[in-house]
Amino acid sequence: MTADIAAILAIDGIATGAVYALVAIGTVLIFTVTRVIFIPFGDIAAFTALTLAALDARQLPGTVGLVVVLACMACLMEVVSLARAGELRAVPKAVLGYLVLPLIVVGIVWLTMRFNPPMPVRIVLALLLIMPISPLLDRIVFRPIADASVLLLLTVSVALHFALVGLGLLFFGPEGVRTEPLTSMAFEIAGVHVSGQTVLILAAALVFSGLLFLFFDYTLIGKALRATALNRTGARLMGIRPARAGTIAYLLGSLMAGVSGILIAPVNTIFYDSGFLLGLKAFVGAIVGGMASYPGAALGAFGVGIIESFASFQSSTLKDVIVFSLLIPVLLWRSFASQHSEEEVEE
Amino acid sequence: MRKMLSLTALVGSLVAASTAQADITIGFVTSLSGPGASIGIPYGRGIQAAMEYKSEVNGEKIKLIQLDDGSDPSAATRNARKLIEEEKVDLLIGTATTPSTIAMMAVATELKVPMIAVSPLTGQPNPADQWAISVPQPAALLVKIVADRMKRDAMKNIGYIGFSDAWGDLVYNGAKAAETDDGIKVLTNERYARVDTSVTGQILKVLAVRPDAVLIGGSGTQGALPLLALGERGFKGKTYGTVALVNPDFVRVGGKAADGIQVSAGPVIVAEQLPDNHFAKKLALEFRAAFLKANNVPTTDGFSAYSFDGWRIFTSAAERALKTAKPGTVEFRKALRDEILNTKELPGVHAVYNFKPGAYYGVDERALVIVRLVNGAWTYQP
């Protein structure tokens, strides 16, 4: 291990860590607002990469089918629950939000694809298509059990991940994809070769962490989201709608997952089931940050990336073992150091 | 009179039915869905090409029944039972993944029906009760041919990087077995997972031993990842791999970085470049023509050719077996099994086949040629 090698490994680790950081921040965001540990996050990132690849190949991506199916289910559930509550006046608005909006997105993609759009437009289309998935899943799966314990929400989340992997196989097929690089630039920094893609990934991670920080501390919606996270009932009494807060959190989270999916698509072959490991490693990073702080989650994710990089040099066969073994001391330290909140105690 | 006529018609139809019964029935299983579909579909197309090429033996028509196993061993088992017990097939051919193929073989052995496996089989058969043979080249042979080429290219220090799974182990062990005091030495054993995004660390480790050449133990698209990393680091040595890398996506993803890699592959991959006296040349071109006619697309892979060779092994054995027994009978199945295991010097598009009881494989070093990737096309390297 010379200084040169260490520098190369560190750069590589930071690039990998930046992708994990994006996903980790999204995971923390959704967890703090809805108390759901959203395991399928990595799947959303993988689906974005697959969507972009399909758009590059001038095909209609499988995501379209997924969005349409989910939109129909969510709309049906919303209308039924409104009818039961006797609030029939709210039905048109629900249909607009849960069915018409996603279908408009699909329509936009379908129309734009007829004109062979350039790469930046395709990226925007892929993000647009992926955005509705998480909020719709939230409405179908998590909204009915919003007040359940964190453990139950986690269990449902794991089940949802397996369902999504199956759907991914159905809609995207078994073949892996890889997209064209976003940039072919490369730099020499102190004698170490750094690719433009690495710089892009890093920049995206920093920009998104910064934006989230500003959003939560300086906007009303951000503060409302934080209030919901602290105490749902209290937030409702203050006139904040927890359901809406959840939808916003899922939309933001999907955007983060989508961006990370687009950033890794040129670097690696993505299969329909590639998302799990990505999400899991990001989750380790988020745990290091205590599932509460964005800078903490980002730092933890960078740490995971760097450790992974050095582990792959020292002992490549045990790389993943080393990364996941990290969880144990961190969890021990966390559980001894933190106060247990009253909310977790069974009522 | 009318009664007489109808009786004759009835008898006639019965006779026709019994001769129709005498068709040779083949049960073919492949993976048209599930994770194995990317190779299962070519296997299916290969069988269609084989039917196009030869659809009768000694005047007996061949009836083909195809089922999908969804890449699932339990479905493959069910399919094998259904084909044998309900369809009364004389022979099984299958399937795209090794676990499913082994599951099918268990049924074939239990119900005493010969089987031609188009995927690799593991372990050693019992010579007294062997009902299956396997068409593809075994992994050990694939690696041996590459190692021989490295020696011929005067390579000494070899760096190895491969998948952290059974395939990575097979290639590494094959390379280790080829080590000699004055020949090649395998100095690294770096691994990466199929889902990894970066192999920078592993490649640095490989380059640290200053290798003359790097051997890749990956497959398909993800096999290109180490090559891309080597290209980034400006590696100037030679690279080697196995037929597992040969697919259009590998070439597309690897781009410039993959150029110049040499792999061991079946001759069918470079059929049009083979010398005229090569055993596979004429056959492979006939196979390609039949494939195009049956599927309306040209063949780009080596898998469909395994189906085709399996078909050749079956038809040549059936010609001899028909002399002693009639299709649809227990005797015919046994005769067919005996004749398959008695295959001598039968040329196919991948290999020259010689089977004998006690071994699943029947190929030798003629089954492999070295091909090099030059400007995105595989070229024959005698």
Side-chain angles (χ1 to χ4, degrees), chain B residues 18-136:
Chain B
S18 63
T19 51
Q21 279 294 307
D23 285 356
I24 305 175
T25 319
I26 304 296
F28 174 63
V29 180
T30 186
S31 308
L32 299 173
S33 56
S38 58
I39 57 176
I41 292 164
Y43 275 129
R45 288 177 167 169
I47 282 286
Q48 297 307 328
M51 269 296 265
E52 177 70 38
Y53 176 80
K54 190 173 173 110
S55 60
E56 52 178 38
V57 180
N58 298 0
E60 298 279 1
K61 279 212 162 25
I62 301 171
K63 185 172 150 205
L64 179 75
I65 303 164
Q66 177 173 318
L67 294 177
D68 172 26
D69 69 7
S71 315
D72 170 18
S74 57
T77 308
R78 275 197 306 277
N79 283 343
R81 276 200 187 282
K82 183 170 178 256
L83 288 166
I84 295 169
E85 287 169 351
E86 293 174 24
E87 305 287 353
K88 303 275 184 284
V89 297
D90 297 302
L91 171 86
L92 284 174
I93 301 179
T95 175
T97 55
T98 294
S100 300
T101 310
I102 291 170
M104 273 177 77
M105 185 176 74
V107 180
T109 308
E110 177 199 338
L111 300 173
K112 306 233 175 304
V113 173
M115 170 168 165
I116 292 176
V118 286
S119 284
L121 290 172
T122 50
Q124 286 294 325
N126 168 11
D129 190 33
Q130 182 186 354
W131 289 85
I133 55 106
S134 173
V135 178

Side-chain angles (χ1 to χ4, degrees), chain B residues 147 151 158 172 174-187:
Chain B
K151 285 175 192 160
I158 309 296
Y172 178 71
K176 267 300 201 196
E179 278 188 340
T180 49
D181 293 339
D182 55 338
I184 60 169
K185 281 205 173 28
V186 183
L187 299 173

Side-chain angles (χ1 to χ4, degrees), chain B residues 275-348:
Chain B
D276 285 339
N277 59 3
H278 194 284
F279 70 86
K281 169 111 182 188
K282 182 166 158 290
L283 263 177
L285 294 177
E286 283 169 2
F287 158 65
R288 285 189 183 185
F291 190 98
L292 189 61
K293 201 165 162 193
N295 303 298
N296 296 322
V297 285
T299 161
T300 53
D301 66 284
F303 296 106
S304 50
Y306 291 132
S307 299
F308 183 80
D309 275 3
W311 194 260
R312 279 190 54 85
I313 293 164
F314 143 67
T315 50
S316 102
E319 275 170 22
R320 301 189 296 270
L322 280 169
K323 291 180 185 133
T324 55
K326 278 192 90 63
T329 60
V330 179
E331 294 77 26
F332 180 71
R333 285 178 208 154
K334 189 168 178 323
L336 191 57
R337 189 272 308 259
D338 293 341
E339 290 302 342
I340 288 174
L341 285 174
N342 195 14
T343 304
K344 291 270 182 292
E345 289 294 305
L346 174 76

Side-chain angles (χ1 to χ4, degrees), chain A residues 5 8-9 12 16 169 174-175 178 193 264 267-269 271-272 274 277 309 312-314 316-317 319, chain B residues 34-35 37-38 189-191 194-198 200-202 204-205 221-222 225 228 232-233 249 252-253:
Chain A
I5 288 182
I8 295 168
L9 288 177
D12 187 63
T16 322
L169 177 60
E175 292 295 337
R178 204 179 177 117
H193 171 96
I264 49 173
V267 192
N268 189 22
T269 319
F271 295 84
Y272 70 95
S274 300
L277 213 56
S309 173
S312 70
F313 179 81
Q314 289 300 346
S316 57
T317 29
K319 187 191 70 178
Chain B
S38 58
N189 183 11
E190 292 300 309
R191 302 305 183 87
R194 278 167 210 263
V195 290
D196 282 1
T197 47
S198 156
T200 307
Q202 290 94 323
L204 288 173
K205 194 107 176 209
T221 330
Q222 274 305 69
L225 195 58
L228 291 163
E232 267 177 24
R233 301 269 155 253
D249 288 337
R252 186 172 52 81
V253 170

Side-chain angles (χ1 to χ4, degrees), chain A residues 321-336:
Chain A
V321 177
I322 292 169
V323 170
F324 291 121
S325 305
L326 280 179
L327 256 180
I328 299 166
V330 169
L331 284 175
L332 283 173
W333 162 61
R334 281 274 164 205
S335 60
F336 288 132

Side-chain angles (χ1 to χ4, degrees), chain A residues 145-165:
Chain A
I145 51 169
D147 293 324
S149 70
V150 172
L151 185 63
L152 178 71
L153 291 171
L154 171 66
T155 314
V156 170
S157 178
V158 172
L160 180 63
H161 154 73
F162 285 112
L164 271 182
V165 167

